[in-house]
Amino acid sequence: MLFLQITSAVTALTLVILALCLVPVLTEIKKAALALQDAADLLQKEVTPLVKELRDTVSDVQVVTGAAAANADGVNMLLSELGHAGHNIRMINKVLGIATDIVANAPVWMTGAKVAGKYIADRIIKSKIRG
């Protein structure tokens, strides 16, 4: 009987220590999620004007292209440079798309972490109740 009491006390002490360590970790995860959400909001606010400026730039490039078509000597060089600019704009768009996807999925990651934590805690509690 004494052995069972000792093991129960050790188990209870272990659970208390685990809870004491888990609370700060969960607090930091919550802070990180909030910071990530703020970063996502800031990124969204910054991306919208950037896209508008890119569209304005493309519009200006089209005007310049029309004016340059009159000068047959420089058209080939201009079109080559426009191709490079278009490639760069596509790369920027791709990077922004990837960043937006990462930021958009952050709440899913946080939900998964919370569910996993609850699942582990429930499993520990159930195993202690059975044991």
Side-chain angles (χ1 to χ4, degrees), residues 83-94:
H84 290 297
H87 176 73
N88 290 339
I89 289 171
R90 282 192 300 274
M91 286 313 214
I92 290 170
N93 190 23
K94 184 184 260 186

Side-chain angles (χ1 to χ4, degrees), residues 18-34 110-118 120-121:
L18 178 63
L20 289 175
C21 293
L22 191 59
V23 169
V25 169
L26 294 176
T27 304
E28 288 300 317
I29 289 175
K30 182 179 178 182
K31 288 179 187 177
L34 291 175
M110 293 309 302
T111 302
K114 287 179 185 176
V115 169
K118 287 181 183 178
I120 291 170

Side-chain angles (χ1 to χ4, degrees), residues 9-126:
V10 168
T11 302
L13 181 64
T14 304
L15 287 176
V16 169
I17 291 171
L18 178 63
L20 289 175
C21 293
L22 191 59
V23 169
V25 169
L26 294 176
T27 304
E28 288 300 317
I29 289 175
K30 182 179 178 182
K31 288 179 187 177
L34 291 175
L36 192 56
Q37 184 63 39
D38 291 341
D41 293 341
L42 180 63
L43 183 62
Q44 185 63 33
K45 288 177 185 176
E46 292 294 327
V47 167
T48 303
L50 180 63
V51 169
K52 184 183 181 311
E53 287 179 25
L54 286 173
R55 287 183 181 160
D56 291 343
T57 302
V58 169
S59 175
D60 291 343
V61 167
Q62 289 174 344
V63 170
V64 169
T65 303
N71 299 328
D73 295 336
V75 171
N76 286 334
M77 187 172 77
L78 178 64
L79 291 177
S80 174
E81 291 302 319
L82 287 175
H84 290 297
H87 176 73
N88 290 339
I89 289 171
R90 282 192 300 274
M91 286 313 214
I92 290 170
N93 190 23
K94 184 184 260 186
V95 168
L96 289 175
I98 291 170
T100 302
D101 287 343
I102 289 171
V103 171
N105 289 331
V108 174
W109 298 339
M110 293 309 302
T111 302
K114 287 179 185 176
V115 169
K118 287 181 183 178
Y119 177 76
I120 291 170
D122 288 343
R123 291 286 295 208
I124 291 171
I125 290 170
K126 287 180 182 177

